[in-house]
Amino acid sequence: MADEEAARKTFERFDRDGDGFVTAVEFQQAMVELGDREYTVGLAEAILKTRDSNTDGVLTFEEFYSRAKDV
């Protein structure tokens, strides 16, 4: 997903309240909507931790995109 525009659209699907951050709850809800009914908030928290470079507990677009470029 190296295309920044596509990454931005994907990020916006996860950022449900449009505040520029993805929380674990938002991440979990998006994953459930994408079909993973067993995705828990705990799992979302663990995944976000691996991408949250400034350890503030939320994911910014920059953090999301820096990892998405590698996919």
Side-chain angles (χ1 to χ4, degrees):
M1 188 187 319
D3 178 15
E4 187 172 350
E5 185 176 330
R8 175 76 62 186
K9 287 179 182 178
T10 300
F11 180 82
E12 289 170 357
R13 284 184 71 186
F14 283 73
D15 180 16
R16 296 175 167 277
D17 62 8
D19 66 356
F21 303 100
V22 174
T23 66
V25 170
E26 289 174 319
F27 193 83
Q28 181 267 341
Q29 290 172 341
M31 294 303 293
V32 168
E33 276 188 11
L34 290 170
D36 191 344
R37 304 277 179 229
E38 303 301 316
Y39 214 94
T40 65
V41 173
L43 179 56
E45 288 170 344
I47 297 295
L48 259 59
K49 265 187 187 176
T50 68
R51 292 163 171 78
D52 182 15
S53 59
N54 66 356
T55 66
D56 63 355
V58 294
L59 198 61
T60 64
F61 175 73
E62 291 76 20
E63 291 166 328
F64 174 81
Y65 186 60
S66 72
R67 293 295 297 254
K69 290 188 297 189
D70 299 334
V71 174

